[in-house]
Amino acid sequence: MERKITIEEEGIYREDYQMRMLKENHIEGLLAVKGRGADGKSYYDYDVSGKVSMKAMYEKSEIKGEDICCFLERLLAVIGETRKHLLNIHRIVLNPEYIFYESGKYYFCYYPPGTDNLWEAFHTMTEYFVKRADYKDQDCVQMIFLLHKETMEENYSLEKLVPRCLGMGKRKDLEVPDSPGYACTDKDKGVSFGREEALLSPEYDKEEHDWIAEQELGCCIMEETENMWTPVKRFLSRHKKSKWGDWDGLYIEEEEL
């Protein structure tokens, strides 16, 4: 039985080049979507048959390091595929309610009318990871701490950040979509997807960790997110020497679980 979620948008539905591109091509990692209009509104229906949302997955369980690795690899690949098809990467929805999982892979909604900024949305995702993390998993804590800190920078590079996290999580097999001369860049945020650079996984830097721990535990970042980061501070206290958004208009036709 087909199962879908629908995002509702005010305004008359008009099919643009993005929807035509999505209809004509199977883009790996993006959920199949159909657009329609009714009563002066636009509706975008996503096929989520056989899949479960990230939100449902982690309501009663914790996110582990291997889960973070799987998510990061998939996201980087989907961004690359989206660019190859001349679509706006900022229309990829990064929200646990709209990210689905099946058979070891994550799938994302592409929402043409969206107005979010992908880099800001990814930082918000790191805050979700902080809340749902397994703090017994040292790799998980290392990755989430790095992701949250680095994505607070205005011009962070996702392409450089992901391999560093995969190195922490002992996942050095990152694959970037392969195509002749493939090297896309984002001028606004300094993100590039050159194959050689994406395969680099820098080793853990103890001096950098010591500096981060000293600075972060004492600065305003910790003060502003006191409740969210309390588990991290407790973890760091025990391992000082170790390596280191809701949307309107959503309805689901069947229960997710």
Side-chain angles (χ1 to χ4, degrees), residues 130 135 222 225-236:
V130 168
Y135 287 96
M222 284 304 201
T225 57
E226 182 67 29
N227 293 333
M228 181 176 68
W229 279 105
T230 295
V232 176
K233 291 193 289 185
R234 291 173 180 167
F235 180 92
L236 293 176

Side-chain angles (χ1 to χ4, degrees), residues 151-213:
T151 57
M152 295 185 78
E153 297 293 330
E154 184 177 356
N155 294 309
Y156 73 86
S157 169
L158 189 61
E159 180 270 339
K160 293 179 180 178
L161 182 56
V162 168
R164 290 176 64 189
C165 289
L166 295 177
M168 287 180 171
K170 301 177 178 62
R171 294 287 298 278
K172 303 178 189 284
D173 57 343
L174 174 64
E175 289 292 338
V176 175
D178 199 3
S179 65
Y182 183 62
C184 297
T185 61
D186 185 305
K187 295 180 181 178
D188 293 333
K189 291 295 180 179
V191 176
S192 61
F193 295 92
R195 185 175 180 82
E196 293 182 1
E197 285 189 359
L199 291 171
L200 296 177
S201 297
E203 296 297 324
Y204 164 75
D205 188 333
K206 183 178 184 303
E207 291 185 3
E208 179 182 3
H209 160 67
D210 292 341
W211 183 86
I212 291 174

